[in-house]
Amino acid sequence: MGLLADRLGVKTPALYNHVTGQAHLVHRIAILATTELADAIREATQGGRAGTPSPLARRRCGCMCGSTPAGTRRATLPA
């Protein structure tokens, strides 16, 4: 947690105001990744303003599955 705090430019105790430990942090990353993927899938399948799925939205959805930041996919997998 200390290394993460350093990279974020905050003191380690400040991190614990938001997360209780590594397991909680991984859980929150998994929630964020799942939510972002669900949003991309919704946009790709339900379409934009015209109600028609756009090729760009479909591409974005596909790209998210293969190009997530390191650790994000791992956080969504069971231990």
Side-chain angles (χ1 to χ4, degrees):
M1 294 294 283
L3 179 60
L4 177 60
D6 288 343
R7 292 190 68 182
L8 293 173
V10 298
K11 295 183 180 186
T12 304
L15 261 183
Y16 286 99
N17 290 332
H18 303 284
V19 293
T20 57
Q22 185 176 353
H24 185 219
L25 179 63
V26 169
H27 176 74
R28 295 204 34 195
I29 290 170
I31 290 171
L32 177 63
T34 303
T35 302
E36 288 178 353
L37 181 58
D39 290 345
I41 291 170
R42 187 177 309 103
E43 184 181 332
T45 57
Q46 293 179 354
R49 293 184 192 139
T52 306
S54 72
L56 179 61
R58 283 192 217 118
R59 213 169 321 128
R60 179 175 168 250
C61 180
C63 289
M64 284 188 74
C65 292
S67 64
T68 56
T72 304
R73 185 174 186 289
R74 186 174 39 239
T76 62
L77 300 175

